[in-house]
Amino acid sequence: MKLICGLGNPGREYERHRHNIGFMVVDALLSRARAELTQDKFQARVGQGSLGGERILFVEPQTFMNLSGRSVAEAARFYKVDVQDVLVIHDELDLPFGRLQLKAGGGAGGHNGLKSMVTCLGADAFIRVRVGIGKPEGPNAKERVSGYVLSNFDDGEKRQLEELISRAADMTESWVRDGLSTAMNRHNRKA
């Protein structure tokens, strides 16, 4: 079994924010896996399905971003999923909008959801699908990060969002089916 987690914040008011791209990708994967998030446990919405012949536990933490690791660690322990079989889909400020990167391990890079994952899982060896959302530019850019990630995509981004979500879902499905190295070689080279 593999665990696929999308990061985001619960509630309608956050639904289409940049910070919730992880939830959006998991929602796309659910339809591919013919699955639904039917259970509320581990402080998360949880469902099971199958991708590429592999059993998948889908998790959308409902703890808010900064405490996401609690839900994922609890679910991983309960289902005995190894850290390297956990994949986390998250927004990434350090990649331009539309760019994707699949990677194993690494730091949190200031992302509080990832910090929580590393702390609660006790390791940083989980797999990540980094979905580029870009970042604010210009003076006081650092002070505007919080408002930026908690805002909706602009009109130009919205026109590309469905395709971006589909590509991130393809990348995730490739990891399940083909393994990390093959999926990285296939998907990380594409601009």
Side-chain angles (χ1 to χ4, degrees), residues 38-137:
T38 55
Q39 295 180 297
D40 289 319
K41 55 200 267 190
F42 316 117
Q43 298 177 71
R45 294 177 61 226
V46 179
Q48 291 189 43
S50 176
L51 286 173
E54 180 88 34
R55 225 169 95 216
I56 306 292
L57 179 68
F58 294 98
V59 178
E60 287 185 357
Q62 301 296 292
T63 57
F64 287 92
M65 182 68 75
N66 297 358
L67 302 174
S68 301
R70 290 180 183 177
S71 299
V72 174
E74 205 176 317
R77 277 193 291 279
F78 183 85
Y79 286 98
K80 297 176 176 53
V81 178
D82 292 331
V83 171
Q84 60 272 16
D85 287 328
V86 173
L87 181 137
V88 177
I89 305 162
H90 65 90
D91 59 306
E92 181 56 62
L93 287 164
D94 291 330
L95 291 176
F97 176 81
R99 180 92 191 275
L100 296 169
Q101 184 188 44
L102 179 66
K103 69 179 274 192
H111 193 295
N112 291 328
L114 292 179
K115 284 180 190 172
S116 177
M117 290 289 165
V118 171
T119 300
C120 295
L121 287 170
D124 69 357
F126 55 91
I127 312 304
R128 300 123 191 261
V129 171
R130 303 169 73 214
V131 182
I133 61 166
K135 59 184 164 190
E137 300 292 333

